[in-house]
Every structure is written in structure tokens, then in C-alpha cells.
Amino acid sequence: MFTIKDKVALVTGAGSGIGLHYVKEMFRNGLRAATIADIDPSKGDQALKEIAQEFGSNKAIFVKTDVTVQKEVEAAFKKTIEAFKNLDIVINNAGILNDDIWEKQIAININGTVYGCLLAWDYLQKYRSGNEGVIVNIASITGLTSFMSIPVYAATKHAIVGLSKSMGVKEHYDRTKIRVLTICPGVTDTPLISDFVTSYCLPAFEATYKVDLPRWPKQKPEVVAKGLIQALTTGTNGSFWVVNNSKIQNIPHLPEVLELPK
Ligand SMILES: NC(=O)c1ccc[n+]([C@@H]2O[C@H](COP(=O)([O-])OP(=O)(O)OC[C@H]3O[C@@H](n4cnc5c(N)ncnc54)[C@H](O)[C@@H]3O)[C@@H](O)[C@H]2O)c1
């Protein structure tokens, strides 16, 4: 069984929100060290202070990273190895919800996750401390079902589901010993939700906002972080973890819609 104890993690977008909760919950479960790769230095500083206060000093580093810039993501991986020698867990968490700036949203949510996955594929084989590395991609319930007011955001999360599904097959695991897991949080109380205004919808879909997202129950980020721990310690390669309405549900394999011809 995979244990978090003494492992090293890199988490994008972990300066605040659910990402910071992931880092703290992993430290509570014995994580040795973490890299916070976030675009916002003030959030990064605050995150480091909170981590030092609760878990002691020199447990984490902040690397200013815009996940849409491949070189910056790579620098975060390099600095992790310089600081901690190993890398065992990569969580591609950075994301925004704003269909009004959909090209930027696609760049952050999809390109950022692809950069993180490709670098993790290399670094987790070279620098893991145990016999297995883990990639955790953060999708959403919007990656599994339709959301009429935010179709582009939903498309970015469907893309992450597709990426994880194809990377998380047995053939890849057998060669690399990298486990690919996916978390699909439901609506969770963070600035991504509390700062959301209807103008973040594209004008064509804005009218549907009030009968769409607000009908979903809101949960606390702590419960999503608990879901991460369950996924890391018990999740099989290619498994999906829906954390919605404060309940954690494991889907070992998303069903295939098509079958290969016999
Ligand atoms: N909050 C929800 O309801 C919810 C539900 C499902 C999925 N998610 C997903 O969970 C992840 C985290 O969401 P959250 O609610 O914590 O959001 P948040 O807005 O609270 O935090 C996002 C973090 O990402 C950072 N960030 C933004 N752009 C970045 C970039 N280009 N490069 C690096 N860092 C960047 C921000 O500085 C911030 O610290 C996202 O991928 C989001 O889509 C959130």
C-alpha cells in the first residue's frame, strides 16, 4: 500500500483554496516536503507561513509558477529536486472558472494540466523515493456531467477526465509504475465559487446560471482534501474520486462507451 509518510509532493495552484488544503492534509499524514507552485506570490508567502506554523519550518518551498508557461512549470519541478532530492506526488490543481475569458481558462485548466502530466511522467520515474509515483489530476463534477451556464469550463474538465483516463491505463502503469488518479470535486466553498459573478458566463449562456450551478450543494474544502488522502492511499491506477455534497465516492474505472470490434 502507498503511504504518504516521507514522500515529497508538488502541487500547482496550492497558494490558497483546495490546493492548500491538499498540502496541509498530506502533511498531517506524514508528508516530508511540498512545493507550492502558484502564480500569486502573496498567496504563496501566506501558505508558507501557515505551513511553518502548523508543521514546522523548511517543510515547503514556494515557486512562482504560471502553469500556462511550460518553462515555469519545469522550473518548479527542478527546484523541487534541488530542495528535496525526490518527487513522489504531483497534483495538477491550478484552475480558474471564467468562461468570459475562455481562451485563458483553456490555457490554465488544460495546457497547465498537460504540462504537469508530461513533466511528472519524466520526474516521477527518475526521482521518486519509493517504487511508485502518483499523478493526481483535479477535474470536477463538471467533467462528468453537463453544466449549461459554463460549457467551456465543463469542456476543460472533460478534457482532464479524458487525459487521466488515457494516461491511467494498465499498459502505462506496467511500464512506468506511475499511478494516475483523478479527483472530481463538487461545488466547494473557495474564492473560485464565492467570487463568481454571472458576467463570468458567456453572454449566450448567462440566463441559465440561476438554474444551474447554485442548485448544487456547497461543501467545505476540507472534505475534498480527505478524499485526496483516500485516493492516494487506496486508489487504484485510473480511478476517479467524486467528492460531492460532502461524500467521497470511488469510481475504479469510468465505463467505456465503445468496445473494440472483435
Ligand atoms: N471550488 C470548487 O467548487 C471546485 C469544484 C470542482 C473543481 N475545482 C477545481 O479545483 C481546483 C482548485 O480550485 P479552488 O476552488 O481551490 O480555486 P481557488 O480560486 O480558490 O484557487 C486557485 C489557485 O490557483 C492559482 N492559480 C490561478 N491561476 C494560476 C496559474 N495560471 N498558474 C498557477 N496557479 C494559478 C490561484 O492563485 C489560487 O491560489 C481548480 O482546478 C478548480 O477548477 C474547484
Side-chain angles (χ1 to χ4, degrees):
M1 189 177 121
F2 184 88
T3 57
I4 298 165
K5 193 170 164 9
D6 296 331
K7 300 294 193 305
V8 178
L10 182 159
V11 188
T12 67
S16 65
I18 310 175
L20 182 53
H21 283 278
Y22 291 145
V23 173
K24 288 181 177 177
E25 200 57 33
M26 287 191 291
F27 274 127
R28 286 184 199 112
N29 283 271
L31 191 76
R32 171 161 72 86
T35 295
I36 313 271
D38 198 289
I39 198 166
D40 186 334
S42 60
K43 286 180 180 165
D45 285 350
Q46 179 59 28
L48 288 187
K49 271 188 204 138
E50 289 179 26
I51 290 165
Q53 237 168 33
E54 193 174 343
F55 306 104
S57 51
N58 303 324
K59 301 286 276 184
I61 57 167
F62 168 69
V63 184
K64 185 183 177 311
T65 312
D66 178 348
V67 295
T68 68
V69 182
Q70 188 180 12
K71 274 189 181 154
E72 293 191 15
V73 185
E74 188 160 10
F77 278 75
K78 280 189 180 148
K79 285 179 184 167
T80 304
I81 302 306
E82 280 164 26
F84 306 124
K85 307 273 184 280
N86 297 112
L87 181 59
D88 303 287
I89 302 165
V90 173
I91 306 184
N92 293 306
N93 163 75
I96 63 164
L97 165 52
N98 190 338
D99 271 14
D100 196 40
I101 48 168
W102 59 268
E103 291 100 332
K104 183 177 176 186
Q105 183 181 240
I106 286 174
I108 295 172
N109 295 7
I110 303 182
N111 297 11
T113 303
V114 175
Y115 292 145
C117 279
L118 295 180
L119 285 158
W121 212 245
D122 181 28
Y123 275 68
L124 291 176
Q125 290 184 71
K126 286 186 184 142
Y127 298 108
R128 63 185 174 223
S129 60
N131 45 20
E132 197 181 58
V134 190
I135 295 175
V136 184
N137 289 330
I138 306 304
S140 162
I141 54 168
T142 65
L144 298 171
T145 184
S146 56
F147 274 77
M148 58 191 160
S149 62
I150 44 167
V152 186
Y153 178 79
T156 67
K157 295 302 183 177
H158 274 71
I160 293 171
V161 168
L163 179 71
S164 284
K165 205 174 168 187
S166 292
M167 289 183 72
V169 297
K170 182 178 181 307
E171 287 81 350
H172 288 319
Y173 180 81
D174 288 347
R175 283 184 301 115
T176 62
K177 299 289 176 282
I178 294 174
R179 210 157 33 112
V180 180
L181 309 171
T182 309
I183 312 270
C184 297
V187 178
T188 307
D189 196 6
T190 70
L192 181 129
I193 294 297
S194 56
D195 295 350
F196 188 86
V197 284
T198 45
S199 61
Y200 285 11
C201 297
L202 284 163
F205 310 112
E206 200 180 293
T208 60
Y209 175 70
K210 57 182 174 302
V211 288
D212 194 17
L213 258 186
R215 356 175 240 191
W216 290 83
K218 214 186 274 177
Q219 63 191 0
K220 291 192 181 307
E222 285 83 349
V223 69
V224 187
K226 299 264 186 238
L228 169 78
I229 302 304
Q230 266 195 43
L232 282 173
T233 53
T234 68
T236 50
N237 182 42
S239 60
F240 285 73
W241 293 77
V242 178
V243 187
N244 184 43
N245 197 14
S246 304
K247 292 185 189 76
I248 301 166
Q249 183 193 351
N250 175 21
I251 305 172
H253 293 287
L254 278 184
E256 296 285 356
V257 178
L258 298 177
E259 277 181 26
L260 276 172
K262 297 232 160 68

